Amino acid sequence: MDASKFRMLLFILMVTILLTSCTMGLSVATSSAQAVYNRNHLRQQVSDNYITMQAYRKIYNDTDDFKHANISIATFDNNVLLTGQTLHPNQPAAAERIIKTIAGVNHVYNHITVEAPSSALTSVSDGWITTKIRSKLLAEDDVNPDHIKVVTENGTVYLMGIVFPEESDAVVNVASHTEGVQAVMKHFYYLRISKN
């Protein structure tokens, strides 16, 4: 092998090693970023679960005022969604006041209605609707289902999350075209990419 071919082979070998190193570095950086995201996501899930647990305790264990009510509580990113039914007109506002006393709660979306509690059959149907929507969202390329909470109450689907505007459209489209859905309510915070 002459000197020029040897130098060319050496050059190609060095470029290959450098590119491999860059790729490995990028992979490590991506893995590190993913690890930070996962840790933050897990921490937020723990916070949301704690808020939900505290809310149920305050509504159903610390007082007898709501023993005939059917109130459901869901939390996403420290925002609490109240759904369900009660026979007493003052109870939706009373429940909201109680939830706002919980440390860490950012906002309360109160959709409790004053009417007779829904039946067990309706609750099963609502659970099935939520499952179908979650399954459809997993199959959507333009949606990250980890950023969305789906709750169904009496045929109405409530969507909470942190999404891009186009994600919001896709999620609402999936929910509204799911059999059994009567209405869709969204409580999204929007992510926007700035040119700066």
Side-chain angles (χ1 to χ4, degrees), residues 47-48 51-52 73-81 149 160:
S47 175
D48 289 344
I51 288 172
T52 301
I73 303 160
T75 309
F76 186 89
D77 202 40
N78 291 27
N79 298 302
V80 179
L81 172 71
K149 183 100 171 174
M160 301 170 70

Side-chain angles (χ1 to χ4, degrees), residues 63-196:
T63 177
D64 290 331
D65 293 348
F66 300 93
K67 63 182 178 181
H68 298 298
N70 174 37
I71 297 173
S72 297
I73 303 160
T75 309
F76 186 89
D77 202 40
N78 291 27
N79 298 302
V80 179
L81 172 71
L82 299 176
T83 59
Q85 306 82 32
T86 177
L87 294 173
H88 302 286
N90 63 325
Q91 286 189 333
E96 182 174 339
R97 281 194 301 273
I98 289 171
I99 301 307
K100 284 181 175 178
T101 67
I102 299 171
V105 170
N106 291 334
H107 188 80
V108 178
Y109 300 108
N110 191 345
H111 293 282
I112 300 170
T113 57
V114 180
E115 60 181 317
S118 59
S119 67
L121 188 60
T122 299
S123 296
V124 170
S125 174
D126 288 342
W128 177 232
I129 288 170
T130 297
T131 300
K132 287 190 290 186
I133 293 171
R134 292 290 302 170
S135 299
K136 288 181 177 182
L137 292 179
L138 286 170
E140 284 286 315
D141 291 334
D142 300 331
V143 174
N144 184 340
D146 290 339
H147 295 172
I148 298 154
K149 183 100 171 174
V150 181
V151 176
T152 308
E153 182 68 46
N154 216 9
T156 297
V157 174
Y158 299 90
L159 303 169
M160 301 170 70
I162 303 170
V163 297
F164 290 103
E166 58 272 16
E167 272 186 299
S168 170
D169 295 341
V171 174
V172 170
N173 184 57
V174 165
S176 60
H177 287 90
T178 299
E179 187 179 358
V181 172
Q182 305 298 315
V184 177
M185 301 282 294
K186 59 181 180 178
H187 295 294
F188 288 141
Y189 286 96
Y190 291 101
L191 296 168
R192 299 187 189 277
I193 298 175
S194 170
K195 291 182 179 178
N196 296 332

